[in-house]
Amino acid sequence: MTTNSNNEKTVLVTGGSGFIAVHCILQLLNAGFRVRATVRSLTREPEVRAMLKEGGVEAGNRLSFITAELSSDVNWNEAVSGCTYVIHVASPTPLNVYKHEDEMIIPARDGVLRVLRAARDAGVKRVVLTSAIGAVVYGHKPQTAPFTEKDWTVISDNTPAYQKSKTLAERAAWDFIEREGDQLELSVVNPVAVLGPVLGADYSHSIHFLQNLMEGKMAGCPKVNSSYVDVRDVANLHLRAMTDPAAKGQRFIATAGESIWMVEVARMLKQNMGALAEKVNVKELPNTLVRIAALKNPAAKAIIPFLGLIMNTTNEKAVNLLGWSPRSTEEAIVATAESLIRLGIVK
């Protein structure tokens, strides 16, 4: 996939130490691009390089780092200077404890606008924004038909703050491009729950539940339905959305396929991991039990709105328009489990 034409092109990846971002950097370097990564502190550089090495790439001088934060204008102009593309992955982490939802919403929305403004002013060709399925599937009446890119989360007082922040940030990005984007192009990737090979200590919150399953920390599986996707395929979709002319002005759901219930995830672990999955509990918890647990447990409380809801999504647009070909849900689950064991994260 390496081409000489990419050697002269620099791509800025924001939030460069994050799970999706590191996999994007891996694939960009393998495709011959130079990469500049933003981090909150340059002390993260050795950690990022170590994760890339775990992924099979010695980045050397084809990767550089710059500090930049979503909440400040400092360094953004320098960060985008000379870049052909920007992959904007950085986003405020979901906070379990916050005084007001604006603590998540404002940094997410203002951060996106900061990056887009700097990219426009620097003459960047295209920005790929990592949004989330949270900007697509919430607030709708229960449905069995899969959600598509035409769907948007319906914001109400009940919308969880993280999902609200993702929705408002993505809406703000599209509005910016329409009103004052000039020549700047935008593509958006909306991943479902992201699994796949862990390369270091920084990995997606979707993987924590798999870790808890493997370590026997879950008394059973709540009746929660979700779609999953492998992080390597998410990164690949970002690269396709970055370079393919057909991706201009489009959003793409990154999902491996049909949604499944959490108990099916547990069964797949049991079937594929043998003795390594002996602590995995494959019984489904009644909704009433989860509601009782939610009175004292914030994690249980967070899933109450999703109990019993079918959250099916489709990847047809990315497959048909960009030739994307993701791994199966089962492959993503197994790759996650194997990496957690290999790195000693699951004891």
Side-chain angles (χ1 to χ4, degrees), residues 78-322:
E78 291 79 358
V80 295
S81 173
C83 291
T84 308
Y85 304 107
V86 173
I87 295 182
H88 179 40
V89 195
S91 179
T93 317
L95 302 169
N96 288 328
V97 183
Y98 51 89
K99 290 196 176 74
H100 195 277
E101 61 184 15
D102 282 351
E103 289 176 43
M104 266 191 274
I105 293 167
I106 290 171
R109 187 185 57 213
D110 290 1
V112 165
L113 294 174
R114 228 171 226 116
V115 172
L116 289 174
R117 212 169 283 124
R120 176 201 63 194
D121 294 348
V124 166
K125 179 174 170 55
R126 185 179 292 175
V127 172
V128 180
L129 168 65
T130 314
S131 183
I133 203 62
V136 177
V137 298
Y138 294 103
H140 301 275
K141 291 189 177 74
Q143 64 178 63
T144 49
F147 289 96
T148 75
E149 289 80 0
K150 293 192 174 94
D151 293 307
W152 279 89
T153 284
V154 180
I155 290 179
S156 68
D157 294 343
N158 302 331
T159 313
Y162 180 67
Q163 281 72 20
K164 198 182 276 192
S165 76
K166 281 296 194 181
T167 308
L168 293 171
E170 190 190 334
R171 287 246 186 232
W174 288 119
D175 289 346
F176 174 88
I177 291 295
E178 195 179 327
R179 285 207 308 267
E180 49 185 308
D182 294 345
Q183 302 300 307
L184 182 64
E185 299 172 3
L186 178 66
S187 301
V188 173
V189 176
N190 300 75
V192 295
V194 182
L195 301 176
V198 170
L199 301 173
D202 210 321
Y203 47 92
S204 82
H205 44 278
S206 313
I207 286 176
H208 286 283
F209 110 79
L210 213 72
Q211 183 182 348
N212 288 339
L213 267 176
M214 302 263 313
E215 291 177 342
K217 289 179 181 166
M218 290 175 70
C221 300
K223 197 167 172 53
V224 172
N225 186 269
S226 185
S227 299
Y228 297 92
V229 66
D230 192 295
V231 67
R232 293 166 292 184
D233 298 319
V234 176
N236 178 264
L237 185 53
H238 277 76
L239 267 68
R240 287 170 187 268
M242 181 180 91
T243 55
D244 195 317
K248 176 186 173 183
Q250 302 292 332
R251 68 201 298 235
F252 299 95
I253 292 174
T255 180
E258 296 277 314
S259 62
I260 58 175
W261 297 98
M262 197 180 281
V263 71
E264 295 175 75
V265 176
R267 287 194 196 115
M268 285 178 186
L269 286 171
K270 278 278 194 215
Q271 284 159 8
N272 289 281
M273 302 304 294
L276 296 168
E278 63 183 358
K279 293 179 184 169
V280 174
N281 196 323
V282 289
K283 77 167 187 260
E284 194 159 68
L285 297 173
N287 291 349
T288 42
L289 206 62
V290 180
R291 288 198 167 92
I292 293 165
L295 299 172
K296 289 184 176 168
N297 181 332
K301 188 181 176 184
I303 61 175
I304 295 293
F306 312 118
L307 287 175
L309 278 186
I310 291 173
M311 287 290 188
N312 205 8
T313 53
T314 174
N315 59 21
E316 276 182 25
K317 184 175 174 183
V319 169
N320 295 338
L321 202 61
L322 304 182

